[in-house]
Amino acid sequence: MEKTEKVLHLKSSRGRKVRVVREHYLREDVPCFSALCEANCRNEGKVLPGDVTHYVVPDVGVVRDFLEVLEFAELRGIVFMQTACQSVQHHRGRRQYNRLRSLLRDPRHNCILFSNEFQTYSYCPREKGESQEKWHSRCVYHAAVWYYNHLVGQKPVVMITEDQEAMVEYSSLSTGVYVISTQEYLQTFWPDLPAANELYTSIAQALRVRESESQEREYVEHLPLEVLEAGIKSGRYIQGTLNVNKHRAQTEAFVRIEGSTSKNSELSSDVLVPGWRQRNRAVHGDVVVVELLPRVEWRGRETALSNGDGEDRPAEEPQSQPMPTGRVVGILQRNWRDYVVTFPPREEVQSQSRNSQRILVIPWDCRIPKIRICTQQAEALQDQRVIVRLDSWESSSLYPNGHCVQVLGVAGQLETEVATILVENSIRVLPFSEAQLKEMPVNSADCPWRVEAGPEGQRRDLRDSHLVFSVDPPGCEDVDDTLSVRELPGGNLELGVHIADVTHFVPAGSLTDLEARSRATTYYLADRRYDMLPPVLSADLCSLLGGVDRYAMSVLWELDGRSLAVQDVWFGRTLIRSSYQLHYELAQGLLEGGGAEEVAELADLPVEEKKQRLGELRRALERLTHVARHLRAQRDRGGALELEGVEVRAQLDAEGNIAALVPRQPLEVHETVAECMIFANHWVAKKIQASFPHQALLRHHPPPRQEFFSQLCESASARGFSIETRSNKALAVSLDRAVDPSDPLVNRLLRMMATQAMSNALYFSTGSCPEEQYYHYGLALKHYTHFTSPIRRYADIIVHRLLMAAVEKDHGAEPWVALPNNKELQEQAQQINNKNRAAQQAQKQSTELFQYLYFRDKDPLTDERCMADAVIYTIRANGVLVFIPRYGIKGGVYLKNREGQVVSVRPDGGCDWQPGMLHRFPDRISASTAQGTHNFNLFDHITVRISVQVSRCHADSLYLEVVSSRPHQCTEPEPGGARGPGVQGKSELVQEVVRSAEEASQLEEERGRAPEIAGEEQEFRQSTGVTLYSVLQEIGELALLELAACPSPHPRTAR
């Protein structure tokens, strides 16, 4: 090893140049990570293949500015030099550097990092007077030559650069090492990869625009980082994430002060940031630093309904009490992502681009400002949805600069809009790769899969000793969990929960595991799903189907026969065979003495044997119900909350497609199964936390902030109810008492408001959170995790590995898999939390999309389906917020229009617009006109007309107009007849939209035209058609649960 010195010229946070001298050690045995190596390098981990035509070495400038191009999986054999990676770290910030590190770690990308600055013969010291750019280019070229010679010239090496001088200087110095421009490389070697060429052109144009920016300031410069950090520490400044109000994107944004070190005792709420100027180039989602304005400049939230048109009319809008108000003085972290945009109308494009190709495009997300891009395809991209990435937002520019990445398709088409939703939520789920599928076991008619006995004691065989059965929605394919209960000698009971052993098939670090970790969850949209695991696992080998042998992870409790207190608990791997695959209604029927003829497993048995086995099954269900009642009573005493949601099941036709959605009646068996799953999650949480106090993955539900309950308390008070919110138990008791016998919807709406006030439940590593914060507020449990759904949640896979490590630790054995430390586990937990939020939001937006498409082609004046009963649940200054049970829709109803007219109610209840005034009260709003005064009270039923406001650039929206102050009297039967309100209408909605889209696609094919976005369908649509999973997103829908609902296809796992 050779010691030398390395001189670095860096910039401080204040912009000063700093000269740093560091010790630098050189060695000869730096691995090359190539499969062609003949020098016996210690190449561990990712290795470049030998079947490529060449290796490519990007220069520093290419890695720094065109990393997105290098992310194309088709570009193979990329050697990233240490010099280039360090330049990204120093000049592009942590976010870009982490992106590069992720690319290097990803086994799906054919690239490696070569530490050229530690290799004795590839290291180049900086020469006196040499600029940093020239030195970097020389280092990369010298390393490329060394790499070519090290591999004995087996592969040519292509160095790509944006430095014209470097091309002239190095292009003819060494045989076998070619130096060309990035553009020439893409055009010569990858002419069949137009997406990469177009992306390069887009980024290059954006860079040229940035260089030609005017230096005249439009915004105040951000403060230096060290000033911001000192201000946060002293309490002068406040740190938080910027959240833009989607209904008032131009005028209102908020910064939550949680985690702030501010000493200001007045800060008990969010900080309001009014207007674009005060945001100072911060974009929704950025981590910002805010300075409070003088108290005389504080403003309140606007309380009137807004259609989100962005009009800036603060003087006209009624406001709440003044709240802390501030301005952004710095940005700690840019959380930019891919944005879907639409080009402005053709006439605007022509006026904008008379003298240049710089166009202002309009993001689909109205919380994002217009983005300036440079393109020559503005005319061709009319009416298309396009993905854009932000590059910069200098103080001299009114708008951020960006570049085009990909065209999704024609705006308004179903597949384009679904792709838009996925991109906007940073969800990218391509079909499983061949390499991933090769890891899967084979199960076919010619080669059936069979369980293996395994070493003695490794897996407990329960096939002959336990009556195991599952209870799920009808037609369920991915059966995660089964149950068992039996009486032990001596009178005690044994309760068993058996969960699919996914970790047996998905080893840690495998390609399938990495893909599942990246997805984190199965994504459920209104008409499709995107699985976390390949189908051979999710619907077959990991699914605990009836009558087949399956691997499981089991928890077995021995319960006292009288008190049902836990006497002992056993955790471990098992081998099970489910005897019965029941659905909820069948299980409930068996408990009530019927249903015997529907048990398929008993159909062909002799009468006596059938009678005997039916008796065993009924006794097991009765014991299970008895135990579940006890468990629920225990949690109720602790303060467990029962919040509102809609549970539905699907009726399938002969082909397995959805024929109808039926509201699931509240059956006791639902709670029975749910309690067993909660019990298992609770005990597993206690086990892994006890074994790994600082690196266990748990799930906590923080108590909600008291101010979030204000709407609930005010609404309940208007009906004469008092809601106590000091604890979860007090809240649960209050909600149980808040029942209006004349209108069951009142209690339902109150529970929805309580759910809306809740904070989200989150995963965390025990080493990153004090023990007093482990508590789950909603379930009233001190320890909780997710163990019971590993087929569709990656968190459960982590917990399974932790549980097996804990079991092995109890037996004195070393864990069979390396466990993540606290830091790594907390990073995984945060990633899973982010993905779960994205899944919830995508599910909600997908449901809204189908609502818009369903109503878009209907005439609201003549179509009875556009008229619906609505319940008022919130009073605003110029209208009310209503909930429509029939469709699960919530929205605003204006009682005052743009012309200043207000709603006038006729004697028959019909409504017209007339001059008048509105008067707002806590429990009602009064409309006074020449015809008289009418009060719209909280929880009143009114009739509304539903129509669609079409938007060219954003998502469409529903417009609700009051047509009668009385409840809606439907002149034709509700969809689904007596099957209940709401859900069936939504099922028809999904089916009709899907059918229309398929007919349109078929019509195009008949006309001889291929579907316009077939490529996008291949990329974004993993499962096609309406499946069972299309409707399971209905759980917790009712549109009021958008923050707290957890997107699980089974209600018992959405905790």
Side-chain angles (χ1 to χ4, degrees):
M1 185 177 291
E2 178 183 345
K3 177 181 176 181
T4 182
E5 287 186 347
K6 185 176 182 180
V7 180
L8 300 176
H9 294 275
L10 305 177
K11 275 188 177 182
S12 71
S13 57
R14 287 188 171 181
R16 294 197 301 264
K17 291 185 177 180
V18 181
R19 185 175 183 270
V20 179
V21 180
R22 293 177 180 167
E23 290 184 347
H24 195 71
Y25 294 90
L26 303 175
R27 51 194 293 179
E28 296 183 14
D29 58 343
V30 175
C32 66
F33 298 109
S34 172
L36 301 175
C37 178
E38 298 180 357
N40 298 321
C41 288
R42 291 184 295 179
N43 295 323
E44 300 175 356
K46 277 175 64 174
V47 175
L48 290 180
D51 60 350
V52 294
T53 59
H54 63 280
Y55 288 152
V56 58
V57 176
D59 196 5
V60 170
V62 177
V63 179
R64 197 169 55 216
D65 296 328
F66 296 92
L67 182 61
E68 294 171 50
V69 176
L70 302 176
E71 289 176 334
F72 277 83
E74 291 84 353
L75 303 184
R76 304 173 67 225
I78 302 178
V79 183
F80 286 97
M81 296 300 174
Q82 179 188 0
T83 302
C85 295
Q86 289 179 344
S87 178
V88 171
Q89 182 181 17
H90 294 150
H91 296 94
R92 282 292 181 266
R94 182 176 60 185
R95 187 176 179 84
Q96 186 81 345
Y97 181 61
N98 288 339
R99 185 171 182 169
L100 175 58
R101 290 176 60 196
S102 298
L103 179 67
L104 289 166
R105 286 197 300 260
D106 193 336
R108 296 168 296 185
H109 288 272
N110 239 226
C111 58
I112 58 98
L113 170 64
F114 175 60
S115 301
N116 64 299
E117 299 201 5
F118 293 125
Q119 217 291 334
T120 303
Y121 302 110
S122 66
Y123 173 67
C124 293
R126 187 172 181 177
E127 297 177 353
K128 188 175 182 179
E130 187 177 27
S131 69
Q132 188 175 58
E133 291 74 16
K134 285 188 174 295
W135 176 45
H136 282 165
S137 295
R138 186 164 60 87
C139 287
V140 173
Y141 176 75
H142 192 69
V145 172
W146 179 92
Y147 206 86
Y148 173 78
N149 293 329
H150 175 75
L151 299 179
V152 202
Q154 297 179 74
K155 289 288 177 194
V157 174
V158 179
M159 174 179 165
I160 55 177
T161 181
E162 293 297 292
D163 187 344
Q164 296 294 326
E165 294 182 4
M167 279 186 277
V168 173
E169 183 175 355
Y170 301 125
S171 59
S172 58
L173 285 185
S174 177
T175 304
V177 179
Y178 305 92
V179 182
I180 60 177
S181 69
T182 311
Q183 185 176 26
E184 182 182 357
Y185 173 75
L186 292 172
Q187 292 174 347
T188 304
F189 288 86
W190 300 101
D192 297 329
L193 194 60
N197 285 274
E198 291 169 5
L199 180 57
Y200 169 82
T201 303
S202 179
I203 297 174
Q205 288 176 335
L207 290 173
R208 287 193 292 270
V209 168
R210 193 189 312 172
E211 293 172 358
S212 63
E213 283 281 343
S214 166
Q215 297 305 308
E216 183 179 348
R217 289 185 183 176
E218 299 287 349
Y219 295 94
V220 178
E221 290 288 352
H222 294 147
L223 297 177
L225 179 61
E226 59 188 24
V227 175
L228 297 176
E229 291 176 343
I232 294 170
K233 188 175 181 179
S234 68
R236 178 180 178 183
Y237 301 140
I238 299 160
Q239 172 186 341
T241 301
L242 187 77
N243 290 285
V244 178
N245 184 343
K246 65 179 179 180
H247 300 293
R248 292 183 173 84
Q250 299 285 342
T251 59
E252 276 190 356
F254 301 91
V255 174
R256 181 154 296 177
I257 64 173
E258 291 177 0
S260 171
T261 58
S262 175
K263 308 293 192 299
N264 195 328
S265 59
E266 296 177 327
L267 295 181
S268 59
S269 64
D270 298 343
V271 176
L272 171 65
V273 182
W276 283 105
R277 293 289 179 186
Q278 304 287 29
R279 280 179 225 171
N280 196 6
R281 293 169 286 148
V283 176
H284 174 77
D286 286 349
V287 179
V288 300
V289 178
V290 173
E291 179 183 39
L292 288 181
L293 298 176
R295 192 177 181 87
V296 294
E297 298 182 32
W298 287 10
R299 297 174 51 182
R301 297 172 185 256
E302 296 170 2
T303 60
L305 293 176
S306 170
N307 59 5
D309 58 9
E311 292 183 9
D312 193 358
R313 298 177 297 172
E316 303 174 10
E317 300 284 5
Q319 296 183 358
S320 63
Q321 291 296 318
M323 62 184 297
T325 305
R327 63 186 183 93
V328 174
V329 295
I331 299 175
L332 294 180
Q333 182 177 322
R334 289 288 196 188
N335 286 326
W336 293 344
R337 55 173 175 82
D338 288 355
Y339 300 102
V340 177
V341 304
T342 307
F343 280 70
R346 186 168 280 102
E347 55 273 13
E348 289 188 28
V349 170
Q350 292 171 349
S351 64
Q352 285 187 42
S353 57
R354 258 173 214 155
N355 300 318
S356 70
Q357 290 298 318
R358 297 165 68 179
I359 305 296
L360 284 176
V361 294
I362 305 164
W364 184 85
D365 186 343
C366 60
R367 298 170 297 183
I368 308 302
K370 292 180 181 179
I371 302 170
R372 180 187 290 113
I373 66 169
C374 188
T375 180
Q376 298 179 352
Q377 303 181 51
E379 292 283 337
L381 295 176
Q382 283 291 307
D383 302 321
Q384 302 280 324
R385 300 275 194 227
V386 181
I387 300 177
V388 163
R389 288 179 187 149
L390 296 184
D391 297 317
S392 65
W393 195 349
E394 306 299 333
S395 61
S396 57
S397 174
L398 274 175
Y399 301 100
N401 294 315
H403 62 274
C404 293
V405 175
Q406 180 185 354
V407 178
L408 291 182
V410 178
Q413 292 186 351
L414 178 60
E415 292 305 316
T416 303
E417 298 307 309
V418 171
T420 296
I421 290 172
L422 295 177
V423 172
E424 282 292 322
N425 290 284
S426 302
I427 298 174
R428 184 174 176 83
V429 278
L430 299 177
F432 293 100
S433 68
E434 290 185 14
Q436 291 161 355
L437 296 177
K438 284 180 180 178
E439 295 180 342
M440 297 295 97
V442 176
N443 187 27
S444 62
D446 298 332
C447 184
W449 176 86
R450 291 184 176 87
V451 298
E452 299 174 358
E456 185 69 25
Q458 184 182 41
R459 197 177 285 274
R460 187 171 169 182
D461 194 339
L462 307 181
R463 289 176 292 181
D464 299 325
S465 58
H466 287 64
L467 176 64
V468 177
F469 55 92
S470 62
V471 186
D472 288 286
C476 182
E477 296 176 354
D478 57 341
V479 181
D480 294 273
D481 52 83
T482 54
L483 298 161
S484 67
V485 61
R486 62 174 183 163
E487 186 173 349
L488 299 174
N492 284 351
L493 292 179
E494 182 192 72
L495 172 66
V497 172
H498 315 280
I499 308 301
D501 188 2
V502 172
T503 56
H504 173 83
F505 300 96
V506 184
S510 64
L511 292 178
T512 306
D513 180 58
L514 294 174
E515 181 65 23
R517 182 193 303 179
S518 173
R519 299 188 183 201
T521 182
T522 292
Y523 300 98
Y524 296 92
L525 303 186
D527 69 325
R528 66 194 75 186
R529 81 180 189 273
Y530 298 91
D531 292 320
M532 186 183 77
L533 296 173
V536 68
L537 296 184
S538 60
D540 190 2
L541 299 183
C542 287
S543 186
L544 306 181
L545 305 172
V548 293
D549 295 342
R550 289 291 183 259
Y551 293 134
M553 292 275 285
S554 299
V555 185
L556 299 171
W557 298 268
E558 182 178 345
L559 307 176
D560 184 271
R562 292 187 177 181
S563 67
L564 297 181
V566 176
Q567 303 296 305
D568 192 18
V569 61
W570 180 88
F571 305 91
R573 284 195 147 118
T574 55
L575 184 57
I576 67 169
R577 182 187 299 126
S578 178
S579 299
Y580 302 98
Q581 194 170 343
L582 308 176
H583 58 80
Y584 287 116
E585 287 76 11
L586 174 56
Q588 188 67 40
L590 290 169
L591 281 168
E592 295 171 356
E597 63 282 355
E598 297 183 43
V599 182
E601 292 85 353
L602 302 179
D604 300 326
L605 296 180
V607 175
E608 287 302 318
E609 184 180 355
K610 180 177 181 179
K611 184 177 179 181
Q612 176 192 350
R613 292 185 59 182
L614 183 61
E616 292 175 351
L617 178 58
R618 279 203 175 113
R619 283 192 295 274
L621 287 169
E622 289 166 356
R623 286 172 180 155
L624 203 64
T625 303
H626 176 59
V627 172
R629 287 172 182 168
H630 172 75
L631 298 176
R632 176 69 203 197
Q634 280 187 317
R635 291 200 305 110
D636 284 343
R637 286 192 292 271
L641 293 170
E642 184 65 34
L643 299 176
E644 181 60 33
V646 169
E647 298 177 351
V648 300
R649 68 175 176 86
Q651 282 187 343
L652 306 180
D653 58 22
E655 286 75 34
N657 297 318
I658 296 171
L661 283 178
V662 180
R664 188 169 58 188
Q665 299 301 319
L667 306 175
E668 186 174 16
V669 71
H670 295 150
E671 286 298 321
T672 297
V673 176
E675 285 302 325
C676 292
M677 298 302 114
I678 294 171
F679 197 51
N681 288 334
H682 172 57
W683 276 86
V684 169
K686 291 202 299 184
K687 177 65 177 178
I688 61 176
Q689 194 272 333
S691 299
F692 307 106
H694 304 296
Q695 57 187 107
L697 183 71
L698 299 189
R699 184 171 175 83
H700 67 164
H701 184 203
R705 291 165 56 173
Q706 287 299 306
E707 60 264 29
F708 291 170
F709 285 121
S710 58
Q711 180 183 326
L712 169 65
C713 295
E714 290 174 5
S715 299
S717 177
R719 208 67 165 189
F721 302 120
S722 176
I723 301 294
E724 295 290 340
T725 61
R726 63 183 183 274
S727 68
N728 51 357
K729 185 170 184 177
L731 176 60
V733 172
S734 300
L735 289 172
D736 288 340
R737 293 174 178 169
V739 176
D740 186 343
S742 64
D743 189 355
L745 269 176
V746 172
N747 186 264
R748 217 160 153 200
L749 283 167
L750 291 176
R751 291 185 184 274
M752 292 176 196
M753 293 179 198
T755 305
Q756 192 175 17
M758 296 294 161
S759 53
N760 285 322
L762 300 170
Y763 298 105
F764 68 98
S765 173
T766 48
S768 302
C769 186
E771 192 165 353
E772 59 269 16
Q773 295 181 14
Y774 291 3
Y775 188 67
H776 196 294
Y777 179 87
L779 297 177
L781 293 172
K782 291 183 179 179
H783 297 85
Y784 195 68
T785 191
H786 273 161
F787 162 76
T788 54
S789 294
I791 291 178
R792 53 182 172 269
R793 288 191 308 229
Y794 190 75
D796 300 57
I797 292 179
I798 296 174
V799 169
H800 277 223
R801 290 174 182 153
L802 285 167
L803 179 60
M804 283 313 303
V807 171
E808 290 167 355
K809 185 179 179 181
D810 290 344
H811 293 110
E814 290 294 324
W816 56 279
V817 62
L819 299 178
N821 59 38
N822 173 60
K823 182 181 177 182
E824 294 169 339
L825 190 60
Q826 184 60 27
E827 289 176 354
Q828 288 186 29
Q830 188 58 48
Q831 188 253 353
I832 294 172
N833 290 332
N834 292 338
K835 290 293 185 180
N836 282 346
R837 277 192 291 268
Q840 292 173 24
Q841 190 65 16
Q843 186 181 47
K844 176 177 176 289
Q845 291 172 348
S846 172
T847 302
E848 291 172 347
L849 167 65
F850 277 84
Q851 291 171 348
Y852 307 149
L853 295 176
Y854 178 75
F855 288 108
R856 189 169 63 182
D857 298 326
K858 293 176 174 55
D859 186 349
L861 298 177
T862 60
D863 198 318
E864 173 62 27
R865 289 169 292 184
C866 295
M867 305 287 286
D869 186 64
V871 186
I872 298 172
Y873 70 89
T874 299
I875 305 295
R876 290 291 177 88
N878 59 343
V880 294
L881 294 178
V882 301
F883 171 68
I884 303 174
R886 179 178 179 181
Y887 296 115
I889 293 171
K890 71 168 186 176
V893 175
Y894 287 89
L895 301 181
K896 185 176 184 179
N897 62 19
R898 291 177 181 272
E899 288 73 36
Q901 297 176 318
V902 302
V903 167
S904 175
V905 180
R906 301 191 302 267
D908 63 354
C911 296
D912 302 306
W913 294 105
Q914 290 189 10
M917 297 182 64
L918 292 179
H919 300 280
R920 181 190 181 192
F921 302 93
D923 60 342
R924 68 189 186 280
I925 185 169
S926 298
S928 300
T929 66
Q931 300 292 327
T933 298
H934 182 84
N935 292 327
F936 291 88
N937 301 298
L938 279 173
F939 303 111
D940 277 358
H941 289 247
I942 62 176
T943 300
V944 298
R945 179 185 292 120
I946 306 170
S947 59
V948 177
Q949 286 185 322
V950 178
S951 173
R952 183 178 178 276
C953 301
H954 309 296
D956 293 343
S957 59
L958 295 181
Y959 179 72
L960 308 180
E961 180 184 6
V962 59
V963 294
S964 174
S965 63
R966 299 176 182 177
H968 176 56
Q969 300 297 326
C970 192
T971 58
E972 61 181 35
E974 283 276 324
R979 286 177 285 193
V983 191
Q984 174 62 23
K986 226 169 179 184
S987 172
E988 285 189 343
L989 179 154
V990 173
Q991 293 182 52
E992 182 170 330
V993 172
V994 171
R995 186 166 53 250
S996 299
E998 290 173 350
E999 290 173 355
S1001 177
Q1002 184 178 0
L1003 184 61
E1004 286 183 351
E1005 291 177 359
E1006 290 173 355
R1007 291 175 177 173
R1009 300 200 310 266
E1012 294 184 43
I1013 53 172
E1016 282 64 43
E1017 178 170 354
Q1018 175 70 23
E1019 178 174 357
F1020 288 98
R1021 186 169 183 170
Q1022 178 174 316
S1023 59
T1024 59
V1026 182
T1027 69
L1028 173 63
Y1029 295 89
S1030 10
V1031 301
L1032 295 173
Q1033 54 83 38
E1034 299 285 346
I1035 296 165
E1037 46 102 61
L1038 284 185
L1040 288 173
L1041 309 181
E1042 59 190 69
L1043 293 179
C1046 198
S1048 170
H1050 296 295
R1052 63 176 178 268
T1053 62
R1055 305 274 183 173

